[in-house]
Amino acid sequence: MADWIRPEPLNCADDVPIVTREQDAPTVAQSLCDGQNACVGDLYSTGLAALAEVRRLLSSDAQLDTYEASRQNRRAYRQASHRLLVPIRNREIALRKSPTIGWLVELYPDISDFHLTFPQVQGLNSSWQWYERGVELPGLERRLHPFYGTYFPTRHDHLALFDEWLRSYTGQKDKALDIGTGCGVLAMMLGRAGFSRVLATDTNPNAIESVRRDLKRLNLEAGIEPVVADFLGEETGADLIVFNPPWLPGEPEGPIDEAVYYEEGFFERFFNGAATHMAADARLVMLFSGLAEDVLASSTHPIEAELSSSSRFGLVQKLERAVQPSSKKTRRRKRSADREKVELWELQRG
Ligand SMILES: C[S@@+](CC[C@H](N)C(=O)[O-])C[C@H]1O[C@@H](n2cnc3c(N)ncnc32)[C@H](O)[C@@H]1O
């Protein structure tokens, strides 16, 4: 069986209460918040109703106007909602009026009957919709179909910034490295820009499977090589290294979170490896979101910190672009997005 990341199959203990639409949803929600597990027994919508009540219960008396408060609220919701289980039989959701999720067949060839938590099923469901429909990304002519657990950008300002930079690039185009490739968008832009060989790395095996499948589907297999590797792996001799790293300091709670959160020491480890493996005349391009600095007053900017504390790298140029606020955002998030910028840092060895 392929070594993909998937929600761990669970057993449901015999004494876990079964909830149906006959039960009062606020009472079910209260028991989930109080630490009790439950398993949905009739309709998919019974689970949705219980979780809507959990959300209402947790936000009714909470002040959610700071980053820390909304983080705590999300954590409380996560804990309560994952206590609600969903039965899977024959790799299908064993509830009436449920969505069909192809991932249950693809990711669980070794087990047919098990349980998952309701949010895990919701995650699998929305991922399946994206996979089936595909996502359109500026800079690519064809849609990508992100595999389960693969990061793909939902805002595109960094792609426009990278495209702008790539058009002005006049260096060698023999080999590029796209580190943390996710759905592979930057690797494909590099291929389209004429690099003969593009190595796309990610620590997440699902991301690498995602890129492999899309390259095959798009008939672009020549020239782009997706590999599971930490940062650059052992690769040397690239003319250009590109990295759009996770941008929020924090503890990733699993490999999927590693697209967004980075642990202490992450950037030090990256810059160390890049300085060792990078040719003297090569370029390192990093895309970065200024969001962390904006919402976390205490956060330091990892690229600025590298440049000021070490002479391993020097700045060639920095480009910036304001993030376009999405019309669907809440007013609070919109205010934060108004201040947010994406940055492109072009560095060379110091
Ligand atoms: C913000 S996403 C960027 C994805 C894609 N390059 C893009 O621009 O949309 C960061 C990616 O880095 C990957 N990643 C995190 N730590 C990594 C590491 N140590 N080595 C390689 N990839 C890593 C994550 O799995 C994720 O796919």
Side-chain angles (χ1 to χ4, degrees), residues 16 38-39 56 63 120 133 193 215 260 296 324 341 347:
V16 168
C39 182
R56 198 188 54 76
Q63 294 284 328
Q120 287 171 335
R133 245 184 279 141
L215 290 174
V260 176
L296 307 169
Q324 300 300 314
K341 287 194 181 75
L347 310 181

Side-chain angles (χ1 to χ4, degrees), residues 28-150:
V28 174
Q30 187 62 60
S31 73
L32 293 170
C33 291
D34 291 344
Q36 285 165 32
N37 291 343
C39 182
V40 186
D42 56 354
L43 292 150
Y44 191 75
S45 56
T46 300
L48 291 175
L51 293 194
E53 283 302 326
V54 169
R55 205 176 280 287
R56 198 188 54 76
L57 199 66
L58 291 174
S59 50
S60 57
D61 52 7
Q63 294 284 328
L64 298 177
D65 50 0
T66 65
Y67 179 76
E68 190 45 38
S70 56
R71 202 161 88 136
Q72 276 180 16
N73 187 267
R74 279 202 301 279
R75 190 178 306 137
Y77 177 79
R78 179 143 77 195
Q79 284 171 348
S81 60
H82 279 284
R83 295 189 184 111
L84 187 62
L85 302 179
V86 176
I88 312 292
R89 302 268 173 275
N90 293 324
R91 301 185 184 89
E92 287 180 9
I93 302 171
L95 298 175
R96 295 199 303 284
K97 300 194 177 162
S98 292
T100 300
I101 306 176
W103 293 135
L104 294 172
V105 177
E106 287 232 33
L107 299 176
Y108 298 92
D110 55 326
I111 180 169
S112 64
D113 297 355
F114 53 100
H115 286 77
L116 292 172
T117 71
F118 209 93
Q120 287 171 335
V121 169
Q122 288 176 302
L124 286 162
N125 183 33
S126 55
S127 159
W128 185 250
Q129 313 285 326
W130 286 117
Y131 180 73
E132 288 240 288
R133 245 184 279 141
V135 295
E136 216 168 296
L137 295 170
L140 299 182
E141 283 96 39
R142 304 270 297 275
R143 286 169 172 259
L144 299 185
H145 296 261
F147 191 80
Y148 172 73
T150 300

Side-chain angles (χ1 to χ4, degrees), residues 151-153 158-159 178-186 201-204 207 229-231 243-247 255-256 258-260 266 269 287:
Y151 178 90
F152 61 92
H158 71 290
L159 300 180
D178 173 24
I179 297 178
T181 194
C183 67
V185 55
L186 301 179
T201 74
D202 209 294
T203 40
N204 177 345
D230 183 37
F231 296 134
F243 191 18
N244 176 21
W247 65 93
I256 296 176
E258 285 172 18
V260 176
F266 179 88
R269 216 162 56 73
L287 296 160

Side-chain angles (χ1 to χ4, degrees), residues 175-177 235-241 277-279 282-283:
K175 182 158 118 187
L177 271 178
E235 204 61 31
T236 54
D239 304 306
L240 174 63
I241 298 175
H277 287 84
M278 205 171 130
R283 289 288 191 265

Side-chain angles (χ1 to χ4, degrees), residues 306-345:
E306 167 64 24
L307 291 175
S308 62
S309 69
S310 154
S311 54
R312 288 183 289 205
F313 291 95
L315 180 65
V316 179
Q317 61 169 326
K318 178 187 170 194
L319 307 178
E320 275 187 348
R321 198 181 159 105
V323 169
Q324 300 300 314
S326 146
S327 56
K328 289 192 190 133
K329 300 247 177 297
T330 64
R331 216 178 306 147
R332 182 178 56 79
R333 288 175 64 199
K334 199 168 172 179
R335 271 206 309 276
S336 145
D338 283 345
R339 292 194 301 267
E340 191 187 342
K341 287 194 181 75
V342 280
E343 304 162 350
L344 182 149
W345 296 73

